[in-house]
Amino acid sequence: MLYVQDSLDGEAQVPLDPNVLSEDGTVALSTYSVSEDAKYLGYGLSESGSDWVTIKVMRIEDRKTEPDTLLWVSAFHNAGRSKFSGITWTHDSKGFFYNRFPPPNEGQISDAGTETHSFGADVTDDGKYLLMYTAEGCDVKNKVRFLNLSALPDGLEGFHSKNGLLPFEKLVDKFEASYHAIVSDDTVFTFITNKDAPRYKVVRVDLREPNVWTDVIPESDKDVLESACAVNNNQLLVNYLSDVKCVVQNRDLETGSFLHELPIGIGTVDDVSSRRKDSVVFFKFTSFLSPGIIYQFDLKDEVPDLKIFRETVVPKFDRSHFFVDQVFVPSKDGTKIPIFIVARKDIILDGSNPCFFYGYGGFNISLTPSFSVNRIVVLKHLGAVNCIANIHGGGEYGEDWHKAGSLANKQNCFDDFISVSEYLVSSGYTQPQKLCIEGGSNGGLLVGACINQRPDLFGCALGHVGVMDMLRFHKFTIGHAWTSDYGCSEKGERVSLVDSENLVLFLLLWVLLIIRYSPLHNVKRPWEQSPDQTLQYPATMILTADHDDQVVPLHSLKFLAYVLCPSLDNSPQTNPIIGRIETKAGHGAGMPTQKTVKESANR
């Protein structure tokens, strides 16, 4: 739910509680934005986990909702740094920018996934410029266009009456890298980008000389620049990912020179909240043993002093009873894979412990430290070990790490995950019969591929909303956007680079590459591969939801059918293989607390 208070010491009030917007709790808050004058709250709601969003506007003072409603807005988030839709207010608070799709014709299926490009918008702090970002698929590359709002003769309202297109100008017109504006001073803009910098850097450009870009903060030799925001007039607050641990620094905006590093522990920093004109900054910190702390500090102080503004406390949870270790495990090719291990301090490494092992490895997404009540319960009461692996395909070490686990290199993800599993067994944390692997979406693909390739290594597998059919995923809803990571059985990895005479051969070779790991096409009868015919699939639960319009349920249902059919025919398969289909839920959002608890209990 959202809270509002008149001052830092004021009483917190609730202007919007999405939990009471429907009887079954399946209406979720997907996006929101407050106008510059703090009079209006624009917010988007989705029902039953759908990617379609309805945008409404509330007057904050009296909590009254305006009658205007925007329908057919897509809430699908690009896997990179831009997203399909948001609410971007103008500086005068008279309106906001958004994007939507035409409503389907009567009788037409409302498919939220047929769009090819995604769009986003930013209004600069001075209200003078509007930036529009255009992304393609799930790649982090985007184009940038700008519009001088102050140059419109009659302003936006006057232009609106003409019913024409806004006169945007091009700044970046190729899908060559990621660009996101941090701040502007008249025509001089500061961006964060990975152009010629796989771990990102901060650059500056003058719109009057759009071909001249200069570095402000060069790319780090090892750490990944996750975000940057302008604060305290002439300073930058930058967040680096250093071996999957957040490091927050204060730097000079003009020169990029280092000023301070904030004293935080092993964890994740996000939701940085501040404005350029403010010296007071807030950010949220979470870790494996901390459910969430909102820190407050003032950059006017010579040495910033972090103060706790809000902290989430879990009753009867004592973090001092647990430990967090980071280990670097060599993969099949020798690459060191970072993993986090969380367990009770009194654990004995004799192989008797149940172990829950989670992975993702895709779309440049980093798995950073996070808190889970479910995880703590099993660690505390069942003596379990929890492990998270930062395998190839994620963004933990920048774009090179991502590329090493995508397209033709996708098998690296599975090799990494299997290597870490073997380490957990050989180091005494667990044994194969007590090792449970888990992943969702792209991580569901990871689980499906691994139980096909090494059924002997796992005792249990949980695959959530997984991408299981790698030959046809692009044909359903938003699946075509994933070809940036997976390639395509019909287009190949780089069809444009192949001449027409070799195109058929190229596509054939690409299909053969994808089909080598596609979970659906590699279902086996494991017992036929073991001398004593006792090998079988681990106990497996495949989870999906009826309103998932990202990874449609057919992936999970087809995989279940393929696995179950050979397992039921006079086979030694005795480990249960079951499916769980949630109703009125989607790809993860919009599930009420009661259903979340039931799903966790079933797992």
Side-chain angles (χ1 to χ4, degrees):
M1 62 179 67
L2 291 180
Y3 290 90
V4 63
Q5 53 194 76
D6 294 331
S7 66
L8 295 182
D9 301 321
E11 180 183 357
Q13 300 178 1
V14 181
L16 180 63
D17 181 3
N19 299 293
V20 300
L21 296 180
S22 61
E23 291 185 2
D24 59 3
T26 56
V27 172
L29 180 67
S30 62
T31 185
Y32 67 91
S33 179
V34 178
S35 62
E36 182 70 18
D37 60 8
K39 291 183 178 180
Y40 296 99
L41 169 69
Y43 62 96
L45 303 176
S46 65
E47 295 185 20
S48 302
S50 173
D51 281 341
W52 288 119
V53 168
T54 298
I55 292 181
K56 298 177 179 290
V57 177
M58 174 191 292
R59 297 197 303 264
I60 295 177
E61 184 176 9
D62 58 11
R63 310 293 194 265
K64 298 294 184 181
T65 301
E66 298 286 352
D68 295 330
T69 299
L70 301 173
L71 303 174
W72 303 110
V73 178
S74 174
F76 172 77
H77 283 239
N78 185 307
R81 294 177 180 237
S82 58
K83 61 184 180 181
F84 267 65
S85 182
I87 300 171
T88 304
W89 288 90
T90 57
H91 214 251
D92 58 11
S93 302
K94 291 183 177 180
F96 55 82
F97 296 96
Y98 67 98
N99 68 72
R100 56 168 293 218
F101 299 91
N105 297 324
E106 186 175 352
Q108 180 181 347
I109 297 175
S110 57
D111 184 357
T114 56
E115 55 271 10
T116 303
H117 294 87
S118 59
F119 301 90
D122 277 335
V123 175
T124 56
D125 287 342
D126 58 10
K128 185 176 180 179
Y129 285 93
L130 171 67
L131 295 178
M132 181 174 71
Y133 305 97
T134 306
E136 189 175 43
C138 285
D139 206 334
V140 296
K141 301 172 183 177
N142 63 278
K143 297 179 180 180
V144 183
R145 287 174 169 79
F146 67 92
L147 170 65
N148 187 346
L149 296 172
S150 63
L152 297 176
D154 301 313
L156 278 173
E157 292 175 295
F159 195 89
H160 178 69
S161 63
K162 299 177 183 179
N163 199 28
L165 297 176
L166 291 171
F168 280 97
E169 299 180 60
K170 298 176 181 178
L171 179 60
V172 178
D173 198 37
K174 294 181 180 179
F175 291 117
E176 59 180 5
S178 168
Y179 295 86
H180 185 78
I182 303 170
V183 69
S184 66
D185 291 287
D186 194 23
T187 61
V188 178
F189 278 70
T190 303
F191 282 83
I192 182 172
T193 181
N194 65 352
K195 170 66 173 173
D196 301 323
R199 291 176 294 280
Y200 291 86
K201 62 182 178 180
V202 175
V203 297
R204 187 166 291 141
V205 63
D206 192 323
L207 299 182
R208 295 170 298 188
E209 298 181 272
N211 295 320
V212 180
W213 297 71
T214 57
D215 288 357
V216 179
I217 302 178
E219 178 189 26
S220 169
D221 293 335
K222 180 183 178 183
D223 300 338
V224 180
L225 180 58
E226 289 279 285
S227 64
C229 64
V231 294
N232 199 26
N233 296 314
N234 59 355
Q235 295 177 1
L236 281 175
L237 197 68
V238 297
N239 180 17
Y240 281 98
L241 199 60
S242 178
D243 280 332
V244 207
K245 301 178 289 289
C246 284
V247 175
V248 181
Q249 298 176 353
N250 189 26
R251 289 176 174 263
D252 182 82
L253 173 60
E254 179 64 27
T255 65
S257 58
F258 175 86
L259 299 175
H260 300 288
E261 182 173 313
L262 300 184
I264 59 174
I266 297 177
T268 300
V269 171
D270 56 17
D271 294 339
V272 177
S273 178
S274 185
R275 294 175 296 184
R276 183 178 184 178
K277 61 184 179 181
D278 295 331
S279 64
V280 177
V281 181
F282 299 85
F283 68 82
K284 182 180 179 182
F285 175 84
T286 55
S287 71
F288 292 113
L289 302 179
S290 175
I293 300 174
I294 298 178
Y295 283 109
Q296 169 191 352
F297 61 96
D298 195 333
L299 288 171
K300 288 182 178 179
D301 298 335
E302 184 175 349
V303 178
D305 179 25
L306 296 185
K307 300 177 182 178
I308 296 178
F309 179 69
R310 291 283 189 275
E311 182 174 11
T312 302
V313 177
V314 177
K316 299 181 181 180
F317 168 61
D318 186 348
R319 71 189 66 177
S320 66
H321 294 168
F322 301 86
F323 73 86
V324 177
D325 272 351
Q326 187 180 37
V327 182
F328 294 83
V329 178
S331 186
K332 183 178 180 179
D333 64 358
T335 304
K336 295 295 182 66
I337 306 301
I339 68 172
F340 287 104
I341 297 175
V342 188
R344 288 191 337 212
K345 289 183 176 179
D346 60 356
I347 194 170
I348 299 174
L349 302 184
D350 59 359
S352 65
N353 312 296
C355 179
F356 294 87
F357 179 26
Y358 188 88
Y360 186 79
F363 296 99
N364 202 43
I365 295 175
S366 303
L367 290 185
T368 56
S370 63
F371 186 84
S372 167
V373 172
N374 297 338
R375 183 166 59 214
I376 292 299
V377 168
V378 297
L379 298 190
K380 179 179 180 180
H381 297 289
L382 301 180
V385 175
N386 188 76
C387 178
I388 293 91
N390 302 107
I391 61 178
H392 284 105
E396 289 86 352
Y397 291 99
E399 186 59 16
D400 290 343
W401 190 260
H402 167 221
K403 289 179 179 179
S406 63
L407 297 172
N409 299 315
K410 191 62 184 175
Q411 180 59 40
N412 285 339
C413 302
F414 317 131
D415 291 340
D416 294 348
F417 202 70
I418 289 170
S419 295
V420 175
S421 299
E422 293 173 334
Y423 167 82
L424 293 172
V425 173
S426 64
S427 298
Y429 287 101
T430 190
Q431 56 184 277
Q433 293 84 351
K434 294 189 175 184
L435 177 56
C436 175
I437 59 173
E438 184 175 9
S441 194
N442 176 78
L445 158 63
L446 174 70
V447 169
C450 286
I451 63 174
N452 279 336
Q453 296 182 19
R454 287 295 304 275
D456 61 304
L457 190 53
F458 315 109
C460 179
L462 302 172
H464 303 253
V465 295
V467 184
M468 302 299 189
D469 185 349
M470 300 309 297
L471 295 189
R472 292 172 56 82
F473 69 85
H474 58 285
K475 294 180 177 292
F476 308 102
T477 62
I478 196 61
H480 61 82
W482 311 333
T483 58
S484 59
D485 249 52
Y486 300 145
C488 180
S489 62
E490 294 181 348
K491 297 180 180 179
E493 179 181 2
R494 294 288 186 269
V495 166
S496 60
L497 303 181
V498 182
D499 59 69
S500 58
E501 293 182 2
N502 295 319
L503 180 57
V504 174
L505 177 60
F506 183 87
L507 289 175
L508 177 60
L509 292 174
W510 187 253
V511 169
L512 292 176
L513 180 65
I514 295 177
I515 207 171
R516 287 178 58 191
Y517 69 81
S518 175
L520 186 65
H521 302 92
N522 285 277
V523 172
K524 300 178 176 67
R525 298 167 68 91
W527 47 91
E528 295 179 352
Q529 303 172 42
S530 63
D532 56 2
Q533 295 193 336
T534 59
L535 183 62
Q536 56 178 306
Y537 276 112
T540 301
M541 177 183 281
I542 302 298
L543 302 94
T544 186
D546 63 350
H547 279 65
D548 190 342
D549 41 18
Q550 289 190 37
V551 181
V552 291
L554 66 84
H555 284 275
S556 296
L557 300 180
K558 287 170 68 175
F559 184 69
L560 275 170
Y562 273 55
V563 174
L564 281 173
C565 286
S567 300
L568 296 176
D569 184 19
N570 297 322
S571 74
Q573 179 73 36
T574 57
N575 293 330
I577 299 174
I578 60 177
R580 188 183 193 280
I581 306 171
E582 187 58 79
T583 58
K584 299 192 72 175
H587 200 60
M591 188 179 293
T593 302
Q594 186 177 6
K595 286 190 175 185
T596 302
V597 171
K598 286 184 178 180
E599 181 186 288
S600 299
N602 287 343
R603 296 204 312 267

